[in-house]
Amino acid sequence: MNKWAVDSYQPKVLDESILAFHRLQGLNTRITESNQFESHSTYEIFILEEGDCKYYIQNQVYDLQPGDILLLDGLTLHKSSPISPDTYVRSMVHFSPAWLERMLPTLGMPNLLDPFQRLNNCILRTGFDASGQYVAEKIKWIAKQLEMIDQEFQCTGRMNALLKTELKIEFFQLLMKIYKMSKCEHLLVEQKKTEKKRHAENIASWINQHYCEKISLERIAAELNLNKYYVSHVFKEVTGYTVMQYVMECRLIQVKYLLEVKLDQSLEEIFLSTGFESAAHFSRFFKERIGMTPTSYRKMKGKQTSFNY
């Protein structure tokens, strides 16, 4: 069992392309999860191995069972909320689509990433049958292979081409299995929604459309025809977070996207277009959440290189 300390994870040479974690236990604030909503520019395969967990994906709330597999597009806000963190055990792979997309047509599988791109962050309910066990074992192998690749790189300063090719072959096999599973309608989870869940999802959906504007509980309540105290209470009860925490996380992901992609936009243009009231508030919030200033983040992303091919 891997019960990670906050600072236990050591960056690896292929982190910008692919990361894998096998049987993580408890909540983690450093590696991939925290007590905030998160988003990232990678796709994710997540399998719950033990425990019960609520999982929030954008404006949807899911009750996960062991053997459930989540396919996430990364850019959508998501967050886990385990019923008991000590019994919360999961495995996952994060990978950059850019690491693979150039090879897909050559392999005759241009649509291999469709489950991540077109199924809107779906859940496959395996009950830990043979397909669920296959996915868990593949993730275990990939995590070990990444350790071997990194250890050799640290010793020699060179990437082992054979180990990296083996990694890609095994990972493609995992993606092909996921692709086949996504075609099985009986595995796709259909949501059963209570009235409170529907209201919380409607609130989240409204925020997703308006987070760049000035937002208040009064405005949300008026536009959704709800009581403002009910809006505050039901959203907190269902998601575990306040309305304004969710608003700020929506703004943060858009800011990160603009800093990385819209290099011609100034910091002032970015904070004004994403709903922040002032440059000071924007910079302070960004540094608190990301650990560096917006300028440093943009420079870091501009300089990052990876061994993608």
Side-chain angles (χ1 to χ4, degrees), residues 222-252:
E223 298 213 14
L224 296 180
N225 198 28
L226 297 170
N227 178 280
K228 75 171 185 177
Y229 300 106
Y230 179 77
V231 168
S232 177
H233 174 76
V234 76
F235 195 80
K236 174 76 172 177
E237 179 181 330
V238 173
T239 70
Y241 290 86
T242 70
V243 168
M244 289 313 299
Q245 282 176 324
Y246 187 77
V247 169
M248 296 305 291
E249 294 304 318
C250 289
R251 289 172 177 170
L252 180 63

mmCIF file of all heavy atoms in Angstrom, residues 222-252:
data_model
loop_
_atom_site.group_PDB
_atom_site.id
_atom_site.type_symbol
_atom_site.label_atom_id
_atom_site.label_comp_id
_atom_site.label_asym_id
_atom_site.label_seq_id
_atom_site.Cartn_x
_atom_site.Cartn_y
_atom_site.Cartn_z
ATOM 1 N N ALA A 222 -31.730 34.375 -7.848
ATOM 2 C CA ALA A 222 -32.751 35.016 -8.678
ATOM 3 C C ALA A 222 -32.848 34.348 -10.044
ATOM 4 O O ALA A 222 -33.954 34.113 -10.551
ATOM 5 C CB ALA A 222 -32.411 36.503 -8.836
ATOM 6 N N GLU A 223 -31.728 34.029 -10.652
ATOM 7 C CA GLU A 223 -31.747 33.466 -12.010
ATOM 8 C C GLU A 223 -32.203 32.017 -12.030
ATOM 9 O O GLU A 223 -32.706 31.531 -13.044
ATOM 10 C CB GLU A 223 -30.373 33.624 -12.653
ATOM 11 C CG GLU A 223 -29.949 35.086 -12.801
ATOM 12 C CD GLU A 223 -29.094 35.345 -14.027
ATOM 13 O OE1 GLU A 223 -29.031 34.467 -14.922
ATOM 14 O OE2 GLU A 223 -28.484 36.430 -14.092
ATOM 15 N N LEU A 224 -32.011 31.287 -10.894
ATOM 16 C CA LEU A 224 -32.437 29.893 -10.842
ATOM 17 C C LEU A 224 -33.744 29.722 -10.069
ATOM 18 O O LEU A 224 -34.198 28.587 -9.860
ATOM 19 C CB LEU A 224 -31.338 29.034 -10.206
ATOM 20 C CG LEU A 224 -30.018 28.963 -10.980
ATOM 21 C CD1 LEU A 224 -29.019 28.078 -10.234
ATOM 22 C CD2 LEU A 224 -30.233 28.430 -12.390
ATOM 23 N N ASN A 225 -34.314 30.854 -9.649
ATOM 24 C CA ASN A 225 -35.585 30.836 -8.926
ATOM 25 C C ASN A 225 -35.500 29.997 -7.651
ATOM 26 O O ASN A 225 -36.369 29.155 -7.367
ATOM 27 C CB ASN A 225 -36.710 30.314 -9.833
ATOM 28 C CG ASN A 225 -38.088 30.673 -9.297
ATOM 29 O OD1 ASN A 225 -38.266 31.672 -8.604
ATOM 30 N ND2 ASN A 225 -39.069 29.838 -9.608
ATOM 31 N N LEU A 226 -34.442 30.232 -6.878
ATOM 32 C CA LEU A 226 -34.232 29.528 -5.623
ATOM 33 C C LEU A 226 -33.989 30.549 -4.511
ATOM 34 O O LEU A 226 -33.637 31.700 -4.771
ATOM 35 C CB LEU A 226 -33.020 28.591 -5.718
ATOM 36 C CG LEU A 226 -33.100 27.435 -6.725
ATOM 37 C CD1 LEU A 226 -31.736 26.772 -6.864
ATOM 38 C CD2 LEU A 226 -34.149 26.410 -6.295
ATOM 39 N N ASN A 227 -34.141 30.114 -3.282
ATOM 40 C CA ASN A 227 -33.807 30.949 -2.130
ATOM 41 C C ASN A 227 -32.284 30.999 -1.981
ATOM 42 O O ASN A 227 -31.614 29.980 -2.090
ATOM 43 C CB ASN A 227 -34.452 30.346 -0.878
ATOM 44 C CG ASN A 227 -34.121 31.124 0.375
ATOM 45 O OD1 ASN A 227 -33.037 30.972 0.933
ATOM 46 N ND2 ASN A 227 -35.050 31.950 0.820
ATOM 47 N N LYS A 228 -31.728 32.182 -1.695
ATOM 48 C CA LYS A 228 -30.265 32.311 -1.654
ATOM 49 C C LYS A 228 -29.649 31.479 -0.526
ATOM 50 O O LYS A 228 -28.528 30.962 -0.676
ATOM 51 C CB LYS A 228 -29.846 33.769 -1.543
ATOM 52 C CG LYS A 228 -30.029 34.425 -0.187
ATOM 53 C CD LYS A 228 -29.374 35.806 -0.170
ATOM 54 C CE LYS A 228 -29.446 36.422 1.224
ATOM 55 N NZ LYS A 228 -28.752 37.735 1.276
ATOM 56 N N TYR A 229 -30.374 31.324 0.587
ATOM 57 C CA TYR A 229 -29.846 30.502 1.680
ATOM 58 C C TYR A 229 -29.860 29.023 1.291
ATOM 59 O O TYR A 229 -28.968 28.258 1.662
ATOM 60 C CB TYR A 229 -30.654 30.746 2.950
ATOM 61 C CG TYR A 229 -30.608 32.192 3.397
ATOM 62 C CD1 TYR A 229 -31.705 33.032 3.225
ATOM 63 C CD2 TYR A 229 -29.445 32.722 3.963
ATOM 64 C CE1 TYR A 229 -31.655 34.365 3.608
ATOM 65 C CE2 TYR A 229 -29.387 34.058 4.355
ATOM 66 C CZ TYR A 229 -30.490 34.875 4.172
ATOM 67 O OH TYR A 229 -30.423 36.192 4.542
ATOM 68 N N TYR A 230 -30.870 28.641 0.520
ATOM 69 C CA TYR A 230 -30.931 27.266 0.020
ATOM 70 C C TYR A 230 -29.796 27.022 -0.967
ATOM 71 O O TYR A 230 -29.159 25.961 -0.943
ATOM 72 C CB TYR A 230 -32.274 27.001 -0.648
ATOM 73 C CG TYR A 230 -32.399 25.605 -1.221
ATOM 74 C CD1 TYR A 230 -32.638 24.511 -0.393
ATOM 75 C CD2 TYR A 230 -32.248 25.392 -2.588
ATOM 76 C CE1 TYR A 230 -32.743 23.231 -0.917
ATOM 77 C CE2 TYR A 230 -32.346 24.115 -3.122
ATOM 78 C CZ TYR A 230 -32.588 23.042 -2.280
ATOM 79 O OH TYR A 230 -32.680 21.769 -2.801
ATOM 80 N N VAL A 231 -29.519 27.991 -1.846
ATOM 81 C CA VAL A 231 -28.413 27.874 -2.802
ATOM 82 C C VAL A 231 -27.108 27.596 -2.066
ATOM 83 O O VAL A 231 -26.360 26.669 -2.412
ATOM 84 C CB VAL A 231 -28.276 29.159 -3.646
ATOM 85 C CG1 VAL A 231 -26.953 29.171 -4.425
ATOM 86 C CG2 VAL A 231 -29.444 29.285 -4.613
ATOM 87 N N SER A 232 -26.841 28.387 -1.042
ATOM 88 C CA SER A 232 -25.605 28.226 -0.278
ATOM 89 C C SER A 232 -25.555 26.874 0.427
ATOM 90 O O SER A 232 -24.536 26.163 0.371
ATOM 91 C CB SER A 232 -25.499 29.354 0.758
ATOM 92 O OG SER A 232 -24.356 29.189 1.563
ATOM 93 N N HIS A 233 -26.676 26.500 1.044
ATOM 94 C CA HIS A 233 -26.713 25.271 1.836
ATOM 95 C C HIS A 233 -26.620 24.028 0.966
ATOM 96 O O HIS A 233 -25.831 23.119 1.243
ATOM 97 C CB HIS A 233 -27.998 25.235 2.669
ATOM 98 C CG HIS A 233 -28.196 23.945 3.412
ATOM 99 N ND1 HIS A 233 -27.498 23.637 4.559
ATOM 100 C CD2 HIS A 233 -28.996 22.868 3.146
ATOM 101 C CE1 HIS A 233 -27.860 22.436 4.979
ATOM 102 N NE2 HIS A 233 -28.770 21.947 4.139
ATOM 103 N N VAL A 234 -27.425 23.954 -0.086
ATOM 104 C CA VAL A 234 -27.484 22.720 -0.876
ATOM 105 C C VAL A 234 -26.190 22.496 -1.652
ATOM 106 O O VAL A 234 -25.726 21.361 -1.801
ATOM 107 C CB VAL A 234 -28.705 22.735 -1.826
ATOM 108 C CG1 VAL A 234 -28.476 23.641 -3.042
ATOM 109 C CG2 VAL A 234 -29.036 21.317 -2.287
ATOM 110 N N PHE A 235 -25.563 23.577 -2.127
ATOM 111 C CA PHE A 235 -24.314 23.408 -2.860
ATOM 112 C C PHE A 235 -23.211 22.895 -1.935
ATOM 113 O O PHE A 235 -22.456 22.000 -2.291
ATOM 114 C CB PHE A 235 -23.887 24.728 -3.503
ATOM 115 C CG PHE A 235 -22.836 24.570 -4.549
ATOM 116 C CD1 PHE A 235 -23.175 24.167 -5.844
ATOM 117 C CD2 PHE A 235 -21.487 24.802 -4.279
ATOM 118 C CE1 PHE A 235 -22.211 24.001 -6.827
ATOM 119 C CE2 PHE A 235 -20.517 24.641 -5.249
ATOM 120 C CZ PHE A 235 -20.871 24.245 -6.524
ATOM 121 N N LYS A 236 -23.143 23.445 -0.732
ATOM 122 C CA LYS A 236 -22.164 22.999 0.256
ATOM 123 C C LYS A 236 -22.427 21.558 0.672
ATOM 124 O O LYS A 236 -21.507 20.738 0.795
ATOM 125 C CB LYS A 236 -22.214 23.919 1.475
ATOM 126 C CG LYS A 236 -21.339 23.493 2.644
ATOM 127 C CD LYS A 236 -19.882 23.794 2.417
ATOM 128 C CE LYS A 236 -19.073 23.536 3.676
ATOM 129 N NZ LYS A 236 -17.641 23.753 3.493
ATOM 130 N N GLU A 237 -23.700 21.218 0.887
ATOM 131 C CA GLU A 237 -24.051 19.872 1.331
ATOM 132 C C GLU A 237 -23.690 18.820 0.283
ATOM 133 O O GLU A 237 -23.152 17.754 0.604
ATOM 134 C CB GLU A 237 -25.552 19.791 1.643
ATOM 135 C CG GLU A 237 -26.009 18.417 2.101
ATOM 136 C CD GLU A 237 -27.500 18.356 2.372
ATOM 137 O OE1 GLU A 237 -28.080 19.395 2.765
ATOM 138 O OE2 GLU A 237 -28.092 17.273 2.191
ATOM 139 N N VAL A 238 -23.970 19.108 -0.990
ATOM 140 C CA VAL A 238 -23.751 18.122 -2.045
ATOM 141 C C VAL A 238 -22.298 18.044 -2.471
ATOM 142 O O VAL A 238 -21.752 16.953 -2.680
ATOM 143 C CB VAL A 238 -24.649 18.438 -3.263
ATOM 144 C CG1 VAL A 238 -24.308 17.516 -4.438
ATOM 145 C CG2 VAL A 238 -26.119 18.286 -2.889
ATOM 146 N N THR A 239 -21.622 19.185 -2.585
ATOM 147 C CA THR A 239 -20.250 19.184 -3.113
ATOM 148 C C THR A 239 -19.174 19.267 -2.037
ATOM 149 O O THR A 239 -18.030 18.916 -2.284
ATOM 150 C CB THR A 239 -20.028 20.370 -4.070
ATOM 151 O OG1 THR A 239 -20.014 21.598 -3.324
ATOM 152 C CG2 THR A 239 -21.106 20.424 -5.128
ATOM 153 N N GLY A 240 -19.541 19.751 -0.846
ATOM 154 C CA GLY A 240 -18.540 19.943 0.193
ATOM 155 C C GLY A 240 -17.823 21.276 0.099
ATOM 156 O O GLY A 240 -16.933 21.562 0.892
ATOM 157 N N TYR A 241 -18.214 22.120 -0.841
ATOM 158 C CA TYR A 241 -17.544 23.399 -1.062
ATOM 159 C C TYR A 241 -18.558 24.521 -1.176
ATOM 160 O O TYR A 241 -19.706 24.303 -1.568
ATOM 161 C CB TYR A 241 -16.662 23.334 -2.313
ATOM 162 C CG TYR A 241 -15.483 22.446 -2.064
ATOM 163 C CD1 TYR A 241 -15.581 21.076 -2.270
ATOM 164 C CD2 TYR A 241 -14.309 22.956 -1.538
ATOM 165 C CE1 TYR A 241 -14.522 20.238 -1.975
ATOM 166 C CE2 TYR A 241 -13.244 22.128 -1.246
ATOM 167 C CZ TYR A 241 -13.360 20.774 -1.462
ATOM 168 O OH TYR A 241 -12.318 19.949 -1.150
ATOM 169 N N THR A 242 -18.111 25.706 -0.831
ATOM 170 C CA THR A 242 -19.002 26.852 -0.943
ATOM 171 C C THR A 242 -19.136 27.268 -2.400
ATOM 172 O O THR A 242 -18.298 26.920 -3.248
ATOM 173 C CB THR A 242 -18.476 28.041 -0.129
ATOM 174 O OG1 THR A 242 -17.293 28.552 -0.761
ATOM 175 C CG2 THR A 242 -18.169 27.647 1.306
ATOM 176 N N VAL A 243 -20.173 28.031 -2.664
ATOM 177 C CA VAL A 243 -20.384 28.544 -4.013
ATOM 178 C C VAL A 243 -19.184 29.353 -4.484
ATOM 179 O O VAL A 243 -18.697 29.179 -5.608
ATOM 180 C CB VAL A 243 -21.668 29.399 -4.062
ATOM 181 C CG1 VAL A 243 -21.746 30.187 -5.368
ATOM 182 C CG2 VAL A 243 -22.907 28.516 -3.904
ATOM 183 N N MET A 244 -18.665 30.222 -3.637
ATOM 184 C CA MET A 244 -17.562 31.084 -4.055
ATOM 185 C C MET A 244 -16.259 30.320 -4.225
ATOM 186 O O MET A 244 -15.434 30.676 -5.071
ATOM 187 C CB MET A 244 -17.383 32.239 -3.072
ATOM 188 C CG MET A 244 -18.494 33.271 -3.146
ATOM 189 S SD MET A 244 -18.931 33.790 -4.854
ATOM 190 C CE MET A 244 -17.366 34.503 -5.405
ATOM 191 N N GLN A 245 -16.056 29.250 -3.473
ATOM 192 C CA GLN A 245 -14.878 28.412 -3.713
ATOM 193 C C GLN A 245 -14.935 27.824 -5.125
ATOM 194 O O GLN A 245 -13.926 27.774 -5.830
ATOM 195 C CB GLN A 245 -14.805 27.288 -2.674
ATOM 196 C CG GLN A 245 -14.285 27.721 -1.323
ATOM 197 C CD GLN A 245 -14.332 26.591 -0.309
ATOM 198 O OE1 GLN A 245 -15.256 25.768 -0.311
ATOM 199 N NE2 GLN A 245 -13.332 26.548 0.566
ATOM 200 N N TYR A 246 -16.113 27.381 -5.529
ATOM 201 C CA TYR A 246 -16.259 26.810 -6.864
ATOM 202 C C TYR A 246 -16.064 27.874 -7.936
ATOM 203 O O TYR A 246 -15.407 27.627 -8.957
ATOM 204 C CB TYR A 246 -17.636 26.153 -7.007
ATOM 205 C CG TYR A 246 -17.806 25.400 -8.305
ATOM 206 C CD1 TYR A 246 -17.234 24.148 -8.476
ATOM 207 C CD2 TYR A 246 -18.526 25.946 -9.360
ATOM 208 C CE1 TYR A 246 -17.371 23.454 -9.666
ATOM 209 C CE2 TYR A 246 -18.682 25.261 -10.553
ATOM 210 C CZ TYR A 246 -18.097 24.015 -10.707
ATOM 211 O OH TYR A 246 -18.232 23.336 -11.884
ATOM 212 N N VAL A 247 -16.613 29.058 -7.709
ATOM 213 C CA VAL A 247 -16.425 30.162 -8.656
ATOM 214 C C VAL A 247 -14.936 30.436 -8.854
ATOM 215 O O VAL A 247 -14.448 30.572 -9.989
ATOM 216 C CB VAL A 247 -17.127 31.439 -8.152
ATOM 217 C CG1 VAL A 247 -16.719 32.655 -8.995
ATOM 218 C CG2 VAL A 247 -18.642 31.263 -8.191
ATOM 219 N N MET A 248 -14.185 30.510 -7.764
ATOM 220 C CA MET A 248 -12.761 30.836 -7.840
ATOM 221 C C MET A 248 -11.969 29.731 -8.532
ATOM 222 O O MET A 248 -11.002 30.002 -9.254
ATOM 223 C CB MET A 248 -12.199 31.102 -6.450
ATOM 224 C CG MET A 248 -12.811 32.321 -5.761
ATOM 225 S SD MET A 248 -12.687 33.836 -6.757
ATOM 226 C CE MET A 248 -10.908 34.115 -6.693
ATOM 227 N N GLU A 249 -12.373 28.473 -8.344
ATOM 228 C CA GLU A 249 -11.670 27.390 -9.033
ATOM 229 C C GLU A 249 -11.939 27.437 -10.534
ATOM 230 O O GLU A 249 -11.050 27.163 -11.340
ATOM 231 C CB GLU A 249 -12.087 26.035 -8.455
ATOM 232 C CG GLU A 249 -11.655 25.820 -7.021
ATOM 233 C CD GLU A 249 -10.159 25.981 -6.816
ATOM 234 O OE1 GLU A 249 -9.384 25.497 -7.666
ATOM 235 O OE2 GLU A 249 -9.759 26.590 -5.809
ATOM 236 N N CYS A 250 -13.160 27.796 -10.920
ATOM 237 C CA CYS A 250 -13.463 27.965 -12.348
ATOM 238 C C CYS A 250 -12.596 29.072 -12.948
ATOM 239 O O CYS A 250 -12.064 28.939 -14.055
ATOM 240 C CB CYS A 250 -14.939 28.291 -12.544
ATOM 241 S SG CYS A 250 -16.068 26.926 -12.226
ATOM 242 N N ARG A 251 -12.458 30.156 -12.225
ATOM 243 C CA ARG A 251 -11.624 31.261 -12.699
ATOM 244 C C ARG A 251 -10.159 30.836 -12.804
ATOM 245 O O ARG A 251 -9.458 31.196 -13.754
ATOM 246 C CB ARG A 251 -11.772 32.451 -11.760
ATOM 247 C CG ARG A 251 -13.132 33.132 -11.858
ATOM 248 C CD ARG A 251 -13.337 34.189 -10.783
ATOM 249 N NE ARG A 251 -14.629 34.861 -10.972
ATOM 250 C CZ ARG A 251 -15.172 35.690 -10.108
ATOM 251 N NH1 ARG A 251 -14.547 35.959 -8.955
ATOM 252 N NH2 ARG A 251 -16.347 36.262 -10.361
ATOM 253 N N LEU A 252 -9.713 30.055 -11.811
ATOM 254 C CA LEU A 252 -8.309 29.639 -11.797
ATOM 255 C C LEU A 252 -7.955 28.788 -13.008
ATOM 256 O O LEU A 252 -6.907 28.989 -13.626
ATOM 257 C CB LEU A 252 -8.016 28.873 -10.511
ATOM 258 C CG LEU A 252 -6.577 28.366 -10.353
ATOM 259 C CD1 LEU A 252 -5.589 29.519 -10.288
ATOM 260 C CD2 LEU A 252 -6.464 27.481 -9.109
#
